[in-house]
Amino acid sequence: MAAAAVSLFSAKSITAIPKLKPFLFDFHVSPPFSLSFAVAANTTTNFTLWSRKPRRNPTAPAAAMLFPQNPVFSDTCAAVISGSIALSVLRLWQETAKRGLFDQKLNRKLVHISIGLVFMLCWPLYSSGYRGAILAAITPGVNIIRMILIGSGLWKDEATVKSMSRYGDYRELLKGPLYYATTITLACAFYWRTSPIAIAAICNLCAGDGFADIVGRQFGGQKLPYNKNKSIAGSVAMAIAGFLTSVGYMYYFSYFGYIKESTEIVFGFLIVSLASALVESLPVSTELDDNLTVTLTSILVGSLVF
């Protein structure tokens, strides 16, 4: 958008007045709220009343849409593709759980790390606006229903229970896995790909919390003084993994024009990841469920820093 220019005095109208000519100046207004004027036609002075680099671009071009000429059909196809990809990844970890290729706890955390992050990679396939956000939220929304049905015993699915539960109890799906699916669904529907809050919430939940458990089990000999169930290595790994993954997705979405990368956002991601790691290390996270506390912390702190 071209900058608006307003001339308080016209050069042509006062050229005939020599005494006023040295004081000739042009007044310019450039968004956002940047003022400049030229004095005596040779000197330029700029005044910035308020300027802030926008962090999101909700009207960004849908660079990866399948059928830009038909957004409804394109979003429907995107929902089918992203749902199929997420289901394929889930099936992969179900097979590894059946065959016992990994320890059950490790297999569960691999599901925890991968599903949300892989699904978020599919977000550029959708159109901009609420329709794309809602259709994207359908896939994790279906998983909310699945977790409720399986966790309540109405639907028998031993593969899902084995790949997502700690102790093989189907009722566990009503806690962590249900909170996990709910987090991703809400991030899609309410924050979407133009918001750093969505990135921070999902990345700290998936990568941060996932690597905290994996690293903590392998190198967690030194426990936290205020929580013997958590280790220093696990908390550090969570902060680092959540932060680096958040920055990576910031650049990923900025490539498509959905968000504008900046050092300010990077610093915000650091604060959110540190806060999430701190809350995850507290005893309250063990009592409630860290999938819930990490999510709430990421959203609350993210709302303050972004």
Side-chain angles (χ1 to χ4, degrees), residues 134-154:
I134 296 301
L135 285 176
I138 289 177
T139 297
V142 169
N143 276 316
I144 293 177
I145 300 174
R146 287 182 68 246
M147 295 304 102
I148 294 175
L149 293 177
I150 298 174
S152 61
L154 297 176

Side-chain angles (χ1 to χ4, degrees), residues 209-221:
D209 185 51
F211 278 103
D213 186 81
I214 293 175
V215 174
R217 291 183 185 278
Q218 293 295 321
F219 309 100

Side-chain angles (χ1 to χ4, degrees), residues 118-138:
V118 168
F119 174 64
M120 194 158 54
L121 289 174
C122 300
W123 285 6
L125 295 175
Y126 294 87
S127 64
S128 298
Y130 289 111
R131 182 182 58 248
I134 296 301
L135 285 176
I138 289 177

Side-chain angles (χ1 to χ4, degrees), residues 10-18 21:
S10 174
K12 292 182 180 180
S13 62
I14 63 174
T15 303
I17 308 177
K21 187 174 180 180

Side-chain angles (χ1 to χ4, degrees), residues 223-247:
K223 303 298 182 180
L224 294 170
Y226 53 87
N227 189 354
K228 299 302 180 182
N229 294 320
K230 302 290 183 179
S231 66
I232 295 177
S235 295
V236 172
M238 178 174 179
I240 294 175
F243 170 67
L244 293 180
T245 310
S246 297
V247 173

Side-chain angles (χ1 to χ4, degrees), residues 193-278:
R193 62 196 176 196
T194 60
S195 173
I197 297 176
I199 297 175
I202 294 178
C203 288
N204 283 286
L205 173 65
C206 297
D209 185 51
F211 278 103
D213 186 81
I214 293 175
V215 174
R217 291 183 185 278
Q218 293 295 321
F219 309 100
Q222 188 171 359
K223 303 298 182 180
L224 294 170
Y226 53 87
N227 189 354
K228 299 302 180 182
N229 294 320
K230 302 290 183 179
S231 66
I232 295 177
S235 295
V236 172
M238 178 174 179
I240 294 175
F243 170 67
L244 293 180
T245 310
S246 297
V247 173
Y249 271 91
M250 177 193 69
Y251 283 105
Y252 175 70
F253 287 129
S254 71
Y255 174 80
F256 295 97
Y258 302 128
I259 195 170
K260 295 185 178 181
E261 73 276 8
S262 69
T263 55
E264 184 181 9
I265 295 181
V266 172
F267 184 69
F269 283 141
L270 178 60
I271 294 176
V272 174
S273 295
L274 290 174
S276 298
L278 175 61

